[in-house]
Amino acid sequence: MERIAAALGDGARWRIVELLVERPRSVGELAELTGLRQPQTTKHLQTLARAGLVTVFPLGQRRVYAIETAPLAALEQRLRALVETAGAHAGERDVIARYRAAIEAETAAADRERWADGRTFSFERVLPTPRDLVWRHWTDADLLGSWWAPPSMTITECVLEARPGGTAVLEYRDAEGRYRSEGRVHTAADHEHLVFDLSVLDAAGAVSFTGHYALSLADVPDGTRLRLDLRITDTTVESAPYIAGIGTGWERVLDNLADTLGAAHTTKSTTDARTNG
């Protein structure tokens, strides 16, 4: 497929293919129609032949080339699959576009230190899993690491100790760098309530802003209602890109949690069914 794409990536060869899909043509005719010299035309045809796109028919002293449609059909299928995949993930592009717009707006507003102090965010989810399972996905480091990162990020350290004074750490990385947040747990009521803060650190280790979090879990008929309230303080001018991503970032991370819990619940249910059987 790469050879086909490379062969068609040249404008002159593309024009030759356009002419050959109409009917077989000789080298001389193709040279005349494309405005190329005959040796150039021959070289282009040889490249197309190596890619399987054309076949040559020696007819006496004439060499006539004909198109091979199978490689074009394969390329069409590949391109159609790419278009369909892109369409299925169009939301990812929309997220980036919204994030860029948010960064521009927040950067314009960040005209002084503590410019966004006191801003609040709230997020809710109803998760079709028991409360104890949701709680463990917040307080068990291995389970926490299975969902607490945006797409394309890799968690390198995450801890949320469910006790007053416990450590709170989130560190992840991508191809561009490392991102770290540190803080403390202030309140922990098993399976119900968790209050903690996390300070987002810049590359030098200074605080960009601090997030104060309150997590609440409650039983509902469909499973567990999760509510996460966030208030930010200590905002610096340089924190604008981080703050611009809070809303979208937490929505996506909580989607990760919902997907992870759904998979865990399905696995447990299947295991239970097999055990009972």
Side-chain angles (χ1 to χ4, degrees):
M1 191 59 63
E2 290 78 8
R3 181 175 289 184
I4 294 171
L8 293 173
D10 180 271
R13 289 195 288 271
W14 184 267
R15 177 58 181 147
I16 290 171
V17 168
E18 288 181 325
L19 291 167
L20 289 177
V21 296
E22 297 173 353
R23 61 177 175 83
R25 298 178 189 269
S26 67
V27 177
E29 183 182 3
L30 289 169
E32 183 178 349
L33 291 171
T34 58
L36 298 170
R37 296 195 303 274
Q38 192 156 316
Q40 290 177 298
T41 305
T42 299
K43 287 184 178 180
H44 285 311
L45 286 164
Q46 289 170 345
T47 299
L48 292 170
R50 285 194 295 270
L53 288 161
V54 301
T55 297
V56 60
F57 292 90
L59 302 177
Q61 296 188 6
R62 298 174 67 238
R63 298 174 68 81
V64 175
Y65 285 81
I67 198 72
E68 292 290 343
T69 59
L72 293 176
L75 180 61
E76 178 191 23
Q77 291 177 357
R78 183 73 175 271
L79 291 174
R80 185 182 297 113
L82 289 174
V83 171
E84 290 173 354
T85 300
H89 295 85
E92 299 291 332
R93 187 184 187 282
D94 293 340
V95 167
I96 294 298
R98 290 197 301 271
Y99 182 36
R100 178 185 178 185
I103 288 176
E104 292 174 351
E106 298 292 10
T107 299
D111 57 353
R112 64 191 185 285
E113 296 298 299
R114 298 185 175 274
W115 60 280
D117 279 17
R119 189 180 299 185
T120 60
F121 304 81
S122 293
F123 309 92
E124 282 198 11
R125 289 286 191 285
V126 173
L127 305 166
T129 48
R131 187 153 44 104
D132 67 313
L133 184 59
V134 179
W135 178 261
R136 284 193 288 117
H137 274 75
W138 279 88
T139 58
D140 180 291
D142 289 335
L143 295 177
L144 185 64
S146 69
W147 63 269
W148 198 6
S152 79
M153 301 291 187
T154 300
I155 288 182
T156 52
E157 183 181 358
C158 66
V159 178
L160 198 52
E161 296 178 336
R163 58 179 177 80
T167 299
V169 173
L170 172 62
E171 180 179 289
Y172 50 84
R173 61 175 174 78
D174 63 7
E176 306 300 323
R178 182 179 69 97
Y179 311 91
R180 185 175 179 86
S181 301
E182 298 177 352
R184 291 291 173 188
V185 174
H186 301 286
T187 304
D190 279 355
H191 304 162
E192 291 183 3
H193 199 52
L194 194 63
V195 177
F196 61 97
D197 60 54
L198 277 172
S199 294
V200 176
L201 308 180
D202 63 18
V207 174
S208 288
F209 76 93
T210 298
H212 305 270
Y213 297 87
L215 170 70
S216 299
L217 303 178
D219 292 327
V220 294
D222 294 331
T224 303
R225 173 176 285 113
L226 177 153
R227 180 181 174 90
L228 182 67
D229 293 309
L230 165 62
R231 178 176 57 87
I232 60 176
T233 62
D234 307 323
T235 51
T236 63
V237 172
E238 292 77 18
S239 67
Y242 295 113
I243 292 171
I246 288 177
T248 299
W250 267 108
E251 290 289 353
R252 302 189 83 188
V253 165
L254 291 176
D255 286 345
N256 289 348
L257 174 60
D259 292 341
T260 301
L261 284 168
H265 186 59
T266 299
T267 301
K268 184 177 186 300
S269 298
T270 302
T271 302
D272 288 347
R274 290 174 180 170
T275 301
N276 293 336

